Amino acid sequence: MKISTKGRYAVRVMLDLALHDTGECIKVREIAERQNISEKYLEQIISVLNRAGCVKSVRGARGGYRIAKNPEEYTVGMILRLTEGSLAPVACLDEKADECRMCDICETLGVWKELYAAINQVVDNVTIADLVKRHKERNGTITRGKNY
């Protein structure tokens, strides 16, 4: 399983918004510069996050984006599922998949189920607030804004 750039960047965007949350809106250009992501691609990602209610947008000269809720309320898994869809390592474990003809006799299905459970265990138990904390510990810095 490979997470696309869209998924990785979406998590980075949410982290960036949390790290720089002063209550003011943040412009796409600023996020793009800090994260080294093209503005055009970033706008596509932010659009997905905005439609899902993860970020709030404000139009106008003082407009931009802010994280919609507390960083503790967003898991990495939530963000990845918005951009990646299912995180299942094989199609037969997708929620929308038709049941495989081989599932009753498939010797490998148990391995894929364990892998899927492990993936979910990790991504569903790491929040954006956890990433903020890791960032601050790694950098030994406290950024302006809320101290999560």
Side-chain angles (χ1 to χ4, degrees), residues 73-93:
E73 296 182 55
Y74 300 103
T75 66
V76 170
M78 291 168 63
I79 305 305
L80 289 177
R81 286 182 192 92
L82 289 173
T83 56
E84 305 293 320
S86 172
L87 300 179
V90 292
C92 60
L93 294 179

Side-chain angles (χ1 to χ4, degrees), residues 43-92:
E43 286 170 357
Q44 293 174 24
I45 294 166
I46 290 236
S47 175
V48 171
L49 296 171
N50 190 34
R51 279 193 309 270
C54 296
V55 299
K56 290 183 181 177
S57 65
V58 175
R59 296 182 186 261
R62 300 193 70 132
Y65 295 91
R66 331 187 280 256
I67 193 166
K69 301 177 189 171
N70 289 327
E72 295 90 358
E73 296 182 55
Y74 300 103
T75 66
V76 170
M78 291 168 63
I79 305 305
L80 289 177
R81 286 182 192 92
L82 289 173
T83 56
E84 305 293 320
S86 172
L87 300 179
V90 292
C92 60

Side-chain angles (χ1 to χ4, degrees), residues 28-141:
V28 169
R29 181 183 71 252
E30 295 172 23
I31 300 167
E33 288 174 6
R34 282 192 296 263
Q35 296 300 320
N36 196 27
I37 302 170
S38 84
E39 282 185 51
K40 195 161 191 81
Y41 194 35
L42 182 58
E43 286 170 357
Q44 293 174 24
I45 294 166
I46 290 236
S47 175
V48 171
L49 296 171
N50 190 34
R51 279 193 309 270
C54 296
V55 299
K56 290 183 181 177
S57 65
V58 175
R59 296 182 186 261
R62 300 193 70 132
Y65 295 91
R66 331 187 280 256
I67 193 166
K69 301 177 189 171
N70 289 327
E72 295 90 358
E73 296 182 55
Y74 300 103
T75 66
V76 170
M78 291 168 63
I79 305 305
L80 289 177
R81 286 182 192 92
L82 289 173
T83 56
E84 305 293 320
S86 172
L87 300 179
V90 292
C92 60
L93 294 179
D94 275 339
E95 291 175 12
K96 297 175 184 171
D98 293 329
E99 190 169 311
C100 175
R101 297 185 327 248
M102 301 289 291
C103 71
D104 291 336
I105 60 170
C106 181
E107 298 305 328
T108 61
L109 184 59
V111 173
W112 309 138
K113 285 181 177 179
E114 288 178 40
L115 177 59
Y116 190 30
I119 290 166
N120 289 325
Q121 173 64 28
V122 172
V123 298
D124 291 337
N125 286 293
V126 176
T127 67
I128 297 300
D130 294 329
L131 296 178
V132 167
K133 184 179 177 192
R134 290 178 189 184
H135 172 84
K136 290 178 179 182
E137 288 172 352
R138 188 171 56 87
N139 291 301
T141 61

